[in-house]
Amino acid sequence: MDLPASPRHITVLTGAGMSAESGIATFRDALTGLWARFDPEELACEDGFRGDPARVWGWYRWRAAQLLGCAPNAGHVGIAALQAGREITVLTQNVDDLHERAGSHGVVHLHGELLHSRCIGCGATQDPDPITRNLPVTPGDGQLETPPACDACGAPFRPGVVWFGEALPDTAWQAAVDALQACDLLVVIGTSGMVQPAASLPVLAKRLGKPVIEINPQPTPISDIADAHWPMGAVEGVAKLQAMLAG
Ligand code: ZN
């Protein structure tokens, strides 16, 4: 399939590779120090939280502090710049806010957001959000921290990310499907193509007849169905995309 010369609506799907050049630790790399003995499956699930809320809450608070010390990279900035003159929908598997800080609007967070939390009982939120309240300026090694109790029902607050075994938020998933239907190009950046159901989005795009460009240094399961695979990191790939669209 030919790539469209001047797409009016581009949907971008980003994963961990998008934020790697900003220094965001991958899931496994974030398991050091106090958390070294744990598997992601133990910390990032409701059973793990209920079994040891201070450990899980402390881990996410530590990651939130790390995130606040990172900045968007040229790839995030380049995607935001594409908004000029066309419609861009950003779907991300990342729980960071680097697309937003770079200036992208309406970012769809398929796996929730690290800087948001809610009551595990009734879903209430608090302002300012307790996941970032009084965070240390430097993240250090992190510490165990008891999550605050909900004013309304007394249940503990939990991180606002999607855990193992949980469904994606309905509104985010529907927004992703809508964006695939509306776009005339899907660009997939830095995702492994292994985490379902997000990995099914490029497949759905092809089924809808949309051209797909994949930007990833490594081949992935998406490479087989993509119309083009650009073997490079996110920053270089977004620059190439900008050049293609400008040309
Ligand atoms: Zn509550």
Side-chain angles (χ1 to χ4, degrees), residues 118-124 149-157:
R118 65 177 185 273
C119 168
I120 198 169
C122 71
C150 175
D151 294 335
C153 77
F157 264 58

Side-chain angles (χ1 to χ4, degrees), residues 79 81 114 164 232:
I79 289 172
L114 182 55
F164 290 104
M232 56 189 70

Side-chain angles (χ1 to χ4, degrees), residues 60 95 111-116 118 158-163 166:
Y60 281 96
V95 296
H111 293 166
E113 295 178 75
L114 182 55
L115 301 183
H116 293 275
R118 65 177 185 273
R158 58 157 284 175
V161 302
V162 175
W163 279 333
E166 294 182 329

Side-chain angles (χ1 to χ4, degrees), residues 125-143:
T125 57
Q126 286 180 6
D127 188 20
D129 198 300
I131 198 83
T132 53
R133 202 180 295 157
N134 302 321
L135 276 182
V137 176
T138 53
D141 297 327
Q143 58 186 353

Side-chain angles (χ1 to χ4, degrees), residues 69-113:
C70 294
N73 62 52
H76 296 104
V77 174
I79 289 172
L82 293 175
Q83 291 171 141
R86 63 176 70 78
E87 189 161 353
I88 301 289
T89 306
V90 178
L91 317 175
T92 186
Q93 295 168 268
N94 298 336
V95 296
D96 65 58
D97 66 339
L98 297 179
H99 282 299
E100 286 91 339
R101 276 195 258 160
S104 284
H105 304 296
V107 177
V108 176
H109 282 273
L110 295 165
H111 293 166
E113 295 178 75

